[in-house]
Amino acid sequence: MEIKQAEFIISAARNTQFPSNNMAEIAFVGRSNVGKSSLINSLTNRRKLVKVSSTPGKTRLVNFFMINNEFYFVDLPGYGYAKVSKSELKNWATTIEGYLVGRRQLYKVVLLVDSRHKPTKDDITMYEWIKYYGYRCMVVATKSDKVTKNEKAKNEKIIRDTLKLESNEKIYFFSSLTKAGKQEVLDNLFDEE
């Protein structure tokens, strides 16, 4: 797939603000500072479509981006960032859940994990949640330029075992720095698995 057009549509605080047309949506979710914004910017060939912040936990709303005038990328708030209040964490969880529960237009959820580390408890919960509600899930391991070939093989097994992935579920390694894995991610966003 090739993305020729990408445009910001809305930052929504609640589901009444979500786009009401029936275009397919691909949601991106992951822990704060895992590289969601960088991945979306890379996939869309737009350096500043999604604001990349040096402060984790900046995305607090559900952000919709129209892609090729055909479907949406949806950037969900990052989870697992410790330096916010409990009430704010609860609000983020409510926002994420408010989007994910019963969203008919949601075609796939892209779960980002850090390729250098074992998935967190929050990553496991999110993966289980995606599966429980029957959504297609694509696991993307970010920051892959920071691991060696040997570490990559070892870490892939750790990610697979920790998330308890099915044998047919692939892990896509991606680097926003080198763009390694970009085309593979793009080509599999709308696969039928």
Side-chain angles (χ1 to χ4, degrees):
M1 182 197 336
E2 185 183 354
I3 293 180
K4 295 179 176 172
Q5 177 269 339
E7 129 188 46
F8 170 76
I9 300 298
I10 190 171
S11 286
R14 56 192 159 279
N15 57 10
T16 54
Q17 298 172 316
F18 297 165
S20 57
N21 58 33
N22 285 320
M23 289 185 174
E25 296 170 1
I26 294 178
F28 294 80
V29 68
R31 144 182 105 61
S32 295
N33 207 25
V34 75
K36 270 190 303 108
S37 301
S38 297
L39 173 65
I40 295 171
N41 285 339
S42 177
L43 294 177
T44 59
N45 295 312
R46 297 272 303 276
R47 282 200 3 241
K48 295 181 180 173
L49 179 69
V50 184
K51 187 171 179 348
V52 179
S53 174
S54 56
T55 309
K58 275 290 193 200
T59 304
R60 292 164 193 216
L61 302 169
V62 179
N63 295 308
F64 289 82
F65 302 89
M66 173 74 73
I67 308 297
N68 290 348
N69 289 312
E70 294 172 2
F71 61 94
Y72 292 102
F73 277 175
V74 184
D75 184 17
L76 296 173
Y79 53 76
Y81 187 57
K83 291 186 182 176
V84 293
S85 67
K86 281 198 165 65
S87 66
E88 192 149 17
L89 284 173
K90 191 170 184 255
N91 285 345
W92 289 354
T94 304
T95 302
I96 293 170
E97 192 173 1
Y99 170 75
L100 288 172
V101 173
R103 186 74 180 155
R104 286 178 301 110
Q105 297 92 325
L106 183 54
Y107 179 81
K108 183 178 281 182
V109 180
V110 179
L111 173 62
L112 280 72
V113 297
D114 191 319
S115 66
R116 302 167 297 177
H117 307 294
K118 180 177 177 176
T120 66
K121 199 166 82 174
D122 289 331
D123 292 328
I124 296 165
T125 300
M126 182 55 72
Y127 176 77
E128 288 173 349
W129 199 94
I130 293 164
K131 289 301 196 176
Y132 176 80
Y133 283 98
Y135 293 118
R136 294 175 178 94
C137 184
M138 179 180 201
V139 178
V140 174
T142 61
K143 307 183 184 189
S144 65
D145 55 285
K146 299 185 186 326
V147 294
T148 66
K149 208 171 186 178
N150 286 344
E151 288 171 329
K152 186 175 167 185
K154 187 181 80 171
N155 292 3
E156 180 170 5
K157 182 175 179 359
I158 291 168
I159 294 167
R160 182 171 292 286
D161 292 349
T162 304
L163 294 178
K164 297 185 174 79
L165 296 182
E166 303 284 328
S167 59
N168 65 334
E169 287 183 281
K170 189 170 177 357
I171 298 171
Y172 297 87
F173 280 83
F174 171 78
S175 165
S176 61
L177 192 68
T178 66
K179 307 295 183 255
K182 173 184 167 181
Q183 197 57 49
E184 192 180 15
V185 170
L186 276 172
D187 290 345
N188 288 280
L189 285 176
F190 281 101
D191 66 357
E192 293 303 318
E193 297 218 0

